[in-house]
């Protein structure tokens, strides 16, 4: 008998009658004309799904079907059942096969839920280390791939291993300071490792440095505000931070009411201005908050004009 | 530029006759979803009769999973929450819901399929293989709502999970702590709206959510799904519907977004693509057209932001918590 991981060979299936699609309909939704290979494969697949044969050749068939139609999740589910039945002591090889499929299908997400099912159900002896190479490789190639990040978060929690995350995220933020996925993962990390006050202060300094590098970056500003809200809720954003944000809008006089976009100077960061506006609003410096929102509506972020005007009405309420 | 209604109707109609197209067959796993998208385009454009109603209902029923209950995206595939919702949406739209509701066996199988995929923390997996995603919470709750079968046993833990997907930046992620994504704002807010639980978000959170959502509009008019990403027509739906659900639609620049969606039309063959000059598909066509309907574009059938179906249909759904 041939092995689960051998090449797919049509001759192994000579005894199987491919099942046609039967919907009991004559309608156009089901009239088919597609490539011979695909037709043959899917016919076989339907036959196997119906007989539920859990054998090496069934496993080879799923590999072939997945290579042709990687998003066909029923084939993945079937393969999972086969692995559980006949190959659960060969996880190394399964992951090797899966890594290859992963590299060939970066946008597919069945891969990651399949990986999760393997790890969760069969991977008692595994560690995060086994997952790192493929995750790192995929995120190196597509640094904002949502499914890889989601899986990474799941895996880190599953293995309770946070030791690689901060240096990994550092590297990605160094490479692209606008990478919102990396900033989000950083917050996920911070919230899960219960950092002490000193670590949070260092983290605030780190974030400010990144903002100074690129002041017009919503991700780093959100992260900074998130740090304060989550770890220093009682301090608020006062004092030093107001000065920090003020540094990016030097040229703007918030004590004066703006009447036209033309009269307003260039500033380094509209997010700094947003931040200041909401701080002033909280502190009761309503005129300054209003002026700031007006400037956003007029010049620095006009596409959200109605939002900024709404913020002004909340001040007047 | 105008909305090319006739072209889009012809485009959706043509999808069925393209069955010799290899790509079409590669998308078997999304077929029922595709039928729902196409049908909804036709409904919003005021031409639902373009599809043969009986044929479509028969096709939907041929996707029923006898073993586990629920709908698969295609005959003999496994049922999944995504395709189960599409199946029920199509049936509801075409007046065929009794095929499930009045069939005791199917109804109980369907309810069992849905509730058996709810996990201890209130989240839902898409099927028994364990992929968890806030989308599936929306799917499950929307299915139960369409069937008029929502119960506190399912709703309360489900809502709990959805609220945990709210993020520090004002957005929602696929699971607690996952990066905020516009499509997840729709699924989470939709889930809360369906279950009458929007009030669990504070006014400050609602403002923050509205800010995160309108922040998705780029200076050229289109919407992206996450910060520093390109605009894409499908976010016209995910973002606009979310804003509509929380009553903050006016925070978007209508004119510029309308122009962006219209500029993504295929003027020759009909259909709408993700960005100007890309290839059209039915997914972007429905979310472009539905987005325009929310923006009040002339002569379109009003669409319900919570269900992405015509209001005339969703008005018949039993409201949870109000009876």
């Amino acid at each position: 008998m041939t092995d689960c991981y051998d090449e797919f060979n049509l001759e192994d299936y000579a005894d199987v009658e491919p099942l046609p699609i039967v919907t009991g309909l004559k309608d156009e939704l089901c009239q088919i004309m597609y490539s011979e290979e695909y037709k043959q494969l899917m016919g076989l697949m339907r036959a196997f799904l119906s007989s539920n044969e859990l054998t090496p050749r069934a496993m080879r068939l799923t590999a072939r079907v997945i290579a042709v139609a990687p998003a066909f999740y029923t084939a993945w589910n079937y393969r999972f059942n086969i692995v559980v039945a006949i190959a659960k002591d060969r996880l190394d090889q399964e992951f090797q096969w899966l890594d290859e499929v992963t590299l060939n299908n970066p946008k597919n997400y069945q891969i990651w839920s399949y990986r999760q099912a393997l790890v969760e159900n069969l991977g008692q002896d595994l560690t995060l280390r086994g997952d790192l190479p493929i995750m790192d490789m995929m995120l190196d190639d597509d640094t904002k791939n949502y499914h890889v990040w989601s899986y990474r978060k799941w895996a880190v929690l599953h293995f309770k291993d946070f030791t690689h995350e901060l240096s990994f995220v550092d590297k990605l933020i160094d490479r692209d300071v606008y990478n919102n996925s990396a900033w989000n993962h950083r917050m996920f990390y911070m919230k899960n490792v219960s950092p002490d006050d000193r670590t949070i202060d260092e983290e605030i300094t780190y974030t400010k440095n990144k903002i100074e590098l690129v002041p017009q970056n919503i991700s780093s500003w959100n992260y900074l505000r998130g740090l304060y809200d989550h770890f220093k809720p009682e301090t608020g954003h006062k004092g030093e931070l107001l000065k920090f944000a003020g540094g990016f809008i030097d040229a703007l006089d918030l004590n004066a009411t703006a009447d036209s976009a033309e009269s307003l100077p260039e500033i380094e960061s509209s997010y700094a201005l947003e931040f200041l506006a909401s701080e002033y609003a909280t502190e009761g410096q309503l005129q300054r908050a209003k002026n700031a929102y007006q400037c956003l509506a007029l010049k620095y972020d006009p596409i959200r004009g109605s939002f900024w005007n709404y913020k002004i009405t909340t001040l007047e309420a | 530029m105008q909305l090319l209604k006739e072209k889009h109707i012809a485009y959706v109609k043509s999808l069925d006759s393209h069955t010799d197209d290899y790509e079409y067959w590669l998308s078997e796993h999304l077929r029922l979803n595709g039928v729902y998208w196409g049908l909804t385009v036709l409904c919003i454009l005021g031409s639902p009769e373009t599809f043969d109603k009986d044929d479509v209902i028969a096709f939907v029923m041929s996707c029923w999973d006898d073993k586990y209950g629920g709908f698969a995206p295609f005959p003999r595939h496994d049922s999944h929450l995504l395709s189960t919702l599409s199946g029920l949406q199509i049936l509801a739209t075409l007046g065929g819901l009794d095929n499930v509701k009045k069939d005791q066996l199917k109804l109980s199988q369907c309810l069992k399929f849905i509730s058996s995929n709810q996990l201890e923390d209130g989240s839902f997996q898409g099927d028994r293989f364990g992929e968890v995603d806030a989308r599936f919470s929306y799917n499950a709750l929307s299915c139960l709502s369409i069937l008029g079968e929502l119960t506190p046993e399912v709703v309360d833990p489900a809502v709990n999970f959805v609220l945990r997907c709210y993020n520090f930046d004002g957005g929602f992620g696929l699971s607690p702590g996952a990066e905020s994504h516009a499509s997840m704002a729709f699924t989470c807010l939709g889930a809360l709206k369906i279950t009458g639980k929007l009030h669990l978000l504070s006014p400050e959170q609602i403002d923050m959510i509205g800010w995160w959502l309108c922040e998705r509009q780029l200076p050229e008019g289109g919407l992206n799904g996450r910060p520093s990403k390109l605009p894409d027509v499908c976010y016209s739906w995910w973002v606009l519907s979310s804003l509509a659900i929380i009553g903050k639609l006016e925070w978007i620049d209508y004119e510029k977004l309308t122009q962006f969606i219209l500029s993504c039309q295929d003027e020759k063959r009909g259909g709408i693509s993700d960005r100007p000059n890309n290839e059209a598909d039915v997914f972007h066509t429905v979310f472009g057209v539905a987005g325009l309907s929310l923006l009040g574009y002339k002569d379109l059938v009003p669409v319900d932001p919570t269900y992405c179906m015509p209001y005339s249909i969703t008005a018949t759904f039993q409201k949870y918590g109000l009876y």
Side-chain angles (χ1 to χ4, degrees):
Chain A
M1 195 161 192
T2 41
D3 188 72
C4 305
Y5 293 97
D6 283 349
E7 285 288 308
F8 175 78
N9 183 349
L10 208 48
E11 286 167 14
D12 299 336
Y13 305 86
D15 60 314
V16 182
E17 184 67 36
L19 268 185
I21 295 170
V22 184
T23 63
L25 299 174
K26 53 169 179 27
D27 70 284
E28 287 184 339
L29 285 163
C30 298
Q31 292 294 319
I32 312 160
M33 290 275 287
Y34 45 99
S35 91
E36 271 312 305
E37 194 213 352
Y38 187 76
K39 197 164 154 183
Q40 212 157 22
L41 270 178
M42 291 303 159
L44 279 175
M45 190 69 210
R46 278 187 289 275
F48 274 74
L49 284 171
S50 143
S51 68
N52 200 30
E53 180 180 314
L54 306 173
T55 58
R57 71 170 182 175
M59 196 152 145
R60 293 197 296 277
L61 175 63
T62 61
R64 185 67 200 137
V65 166
I66 285 167
V68 176
F72 183 4
Y73 68 84
T74 306
W76 287 96
N77 292 354
Y78 180 42
R79 183 177 179 93
F80 181 79
N81 289 340
I82 302 171
V83 171
V84 170
I86 65 167
K88 64 178 173 216
D89 52 349
R90 299 177 70 180
L91 275 189
D92 281 355
Q93 264 172 302
E94 187 59 7
F95 280 118
Q96 207 177 339
W97 170 81
L98 182 60
D99 286 355
E100 209 165 301
V101 180
T102 305
L103 291 169
N104 290 330
N105 298 282
K107 288 289 179 197
N108 180 287
Y109 60 87
Q110 257 79 32
I111 298 161
W112 299 102
S113 58
Y114 183 73
R115 189 174 199 97
Q116 182 175 331
L118 289 178
V119 172
E120 202 164 21
N121 296 289
L122 305 174
Q124 294 84 358
D125 305 323
L126 301 175
T127 65
L128 184 65
R129 242 168 217 296
D131 278 345
L132 286 174
I134 189 71
M135 292 192 301
D136 288 2
M137 219 183 307
M138 296 299 286
L139 288 174
D140 185 55
D141 192 53
D142 176 5
T143 58
K144 299 174 184 176
N145 188 314
Y146 198 82
H147 295 289
V148 187
W149 281 110
S150 296
Y151 178 79
R152 187 173 187 112
K153 193 173 69 65
W154 177 85
V156 165
L157 288 171
H158 176 78
F159 292 113
K160 299 184 182 62
D161 180 355
F162 289 85
T163 51
H164 309 276
E165 299 316 288
L166 193 59
S167 60
F168 179 70
V169 166
D170 271 345
K171 212 170 60 191
L172 283 178
I173 292 178
D174 283 345
R175 183 168 145 188
D176 173 15
V177 75
Y178 293 102
N179 186 339
N180 194 61
S181 307
W183 283 103
N184 182 75
H185 198 71
R186 199 173 180 99
M187 184 59 85
F188 159 75
Y189 168 82
M190 283 295 160
K191 286 186 177 176
N192 277 282
V193 295
S194 319
D196 57 21
D197 286 350
R198 216 190 92 209
T199 309
I200 291 301
D201 288 339
E202 281 169 9
E203 195 58 16
I204 287 171
T205 307
Y206 169 88
T207 311
K208 283 180 173 173
N209 287 338
K210 294 299 175 198
I211 291 175
E212 269 161 358
L213 194 68
V214 181
Q216 186 62 4
N217 180 2
I218 190 171
S219 301
S220 48
W221 278 103
N222 275 343
Y223 183 77
L224 183 67
R225 208 192 42 229
L227 279 179
Y228 274 91
D229 287 348
H230 191 80
F231 295 104
K232 290 176 171 275
E234 68 294 341
T235 355
H237 309 131
K238 290 182 193 60
E240 214 263 327
L241 202 51
L242 287 180
K243 212 173 119 208
F244 173 75
F248 300 102
I249 60 148
D250 271 348
L252 185 64
D253 178 8
L254 286 182
N255 294 316
T257 309
D259 41 20
S260 73
E262 292 72 38
S263 65
L264 291 169
E266 294 302 321
I267 58 171
E268 279 185 86
S269 169
S270 68
Y271 300 119
L273 185 57
E274 282 184 45
F275 181 83
L276 284 167
S278 81
E279 286 313 302
Y280 289 144
T282 320
E283 284 182 10
Q285 299 192 46
L286 299 187
Q287 193 53 48
R288 292 182 113 187
K290 186 177 168 183
N291 290 345
Y293 287 134
Q294 216 137 37
C295 293
L296 284 163
L298 277 173
K299 181 177 169 92
Y300 305 114
D301 193 35
I303 198 155
R304 270 164 284 283
S306 51
F307 176 73
W308 301 122
N309 286 325
Y310 160 82
K311 294 300 267 186
I312 291 173
T313 64
T314 63
L315 297 173
E316 288 158 353
Chain B
M1 192 186 248
Q2 296 290 309
L3 179 64
L4 308 167
K5 288 174 81 168
E6 295 310 319
K7 287 249 160 95
H8 297 321
I9 293 169
Y11 168 75
V12 171
K13 196 172 176 200
S14 77
L15 290 174
D16 268 348
S17 41
H18 284 172
T19 47
D20 54 347
D21 186 337
Y22 188 51
E23 289 289 316
Y24 181 81
W25 292 103
L26 283 184
S27 64
E28 263 182 24
H29 66 283
L30 281 173
R31 189 61 44 78
L32 206 52
N33 311 62
V35 174
Y36 156 70
W37 294 327
L39 177 64
T40 305
V41 173
L42 297 172
C43 286
I44 297 172
L45 294 176
S47 186
E49 69 291 346
T50 306
F51 279 171
D52 182 283
K53 186 176 136 181
D54 294 336
D55 272 1
V56 175
I57 291 179
F59 175 71
V60 171
M61 294 318 294
S62 75
C63 295
W64 181 258
D65 184 330
D66 279 325
K67 194 165 167 200
Y68 291 101
F71 290 104
F74 200 75
R76 290 184 194 280
H77 288 221
D78 289 346
S79 60
H80 194 282
L81 280 174
L82 281 171
S83 41
T84 298
L85 177 57
S86 292
L88 293 175
Q89 285 170 314
I90 297 166
L91 292 178
T93 303
L94 296 177
L97 211 48
D98 282 352
N99 282 289
V100 177
K101 268 179 100 165
K102 292 275 163 71
D103 180 326
Q104 271 311 317
L105 177 65
K106 281 201 169 65
L107 178 63
S108 67
Q109 263 190 319
C110 191
L111 296 178
K112 191 168 165 238
F113 170 71
I114 295 167
S115 61
S116 68
N117 281 310
Q118 187 167 31
L119 306 177
E120 231 169 82
D121 64 355
S123 66
F124 281 85
Q125 53 185 6
D127 60 18
R128 65 190 182 285
F129 290 90
E131 185 191 2
V132 172
D133 184 325
R135 272 188 308 167
F136 307 146
S137 301
Y138 172 83
N139 294 149
L141 295 170
S142 190
C143 285
L144 293 172
S145 168
I146 291 172
L147 293 169
E149 298 280 354
L150 285 166
T151 60
E153 291 73 33
V154 172
V155 168
D156 294 350
V159 164
N160 238 331
F161 175 79
V162 164
L163 288 171
R164 287 177 55 219
C165 296
Y166 177 70
N167 273 328
F168 67 98
D169 57 6
F172 289 87
L174 159 156
S175 60
E179 185 184 3
S180 296
H181 193 286
S183 62
M184 296 299 154
F186 166 76
T187 57
C188 292
L189 292 171
L192 294 174
K193 174 75 179 179
I194 284 171
T195 54
K197 303 285 186 189
L198 266 182
H199 63 272
L200 296 177
L201 295 167
S202 69
E204 291 75 27
Q205 281 176 317
I206 295 281
D207 275 9
M208 187 80 181
I209 292 165
W211 169 78
W212 189 88
L213 289 165
C214 73
E215 184 64 35
R216 305 279 58 76
Q217 190 163 30
L218 299 165
E220 60 267 33
L223 306 170
N224 63 15
R226 294 182 267 167
S228 311
K229 298 282 278 185
L230 293 171
D232 180 325
V233 160
C234 68
Y235 298 113
S236 309
W237 176 259
W238 310 122
V239 174
L240 283 182
S241 59
S242 300
L243 283 166
I245 288 170
I246 59 171
K248 308 290 187 190
L249 203 49
E250 72 279 5
W251 290 354
I252 286 293
D253 186 322
Y254 279 33
E255 184 53 39
K256 283 194 160 169
L257 178 58
T258 303
Q259 285 315 316
F260 176 77
I261 298 173
L262 294 177
S263 73
C264 294
Q265 298 180 103
D266 183 329
E267 294 176 55
K268 280 206 187 101
R269 295 187 303 167
I272 298 176
S273 55
D274 57 351
R275 281 185 276 285
N277 304 316
N278 283 355
E279 199 173 336
D281 60 63
V282 67
F283 176 85
H284 289 92
T285 305
V286 67
F287 292 127
V289 170
L292 289 173
S293 169
L294 285 181
L295 291 169
Y297 195 92
K298 64 176 187 300
D299 300 332
L300 292 179
V301 170
V303 66
D304 185 332
T306 307
Y307 293 93
C308 197
M309 295 167 69
Y311 264 119
S312 53
I313 307 296
T314 63
T316 64
F317 300 163
Q318 199 173 11
K319 298 282 175 288
Y320 177 71
L322 296 179
Y323 48 88

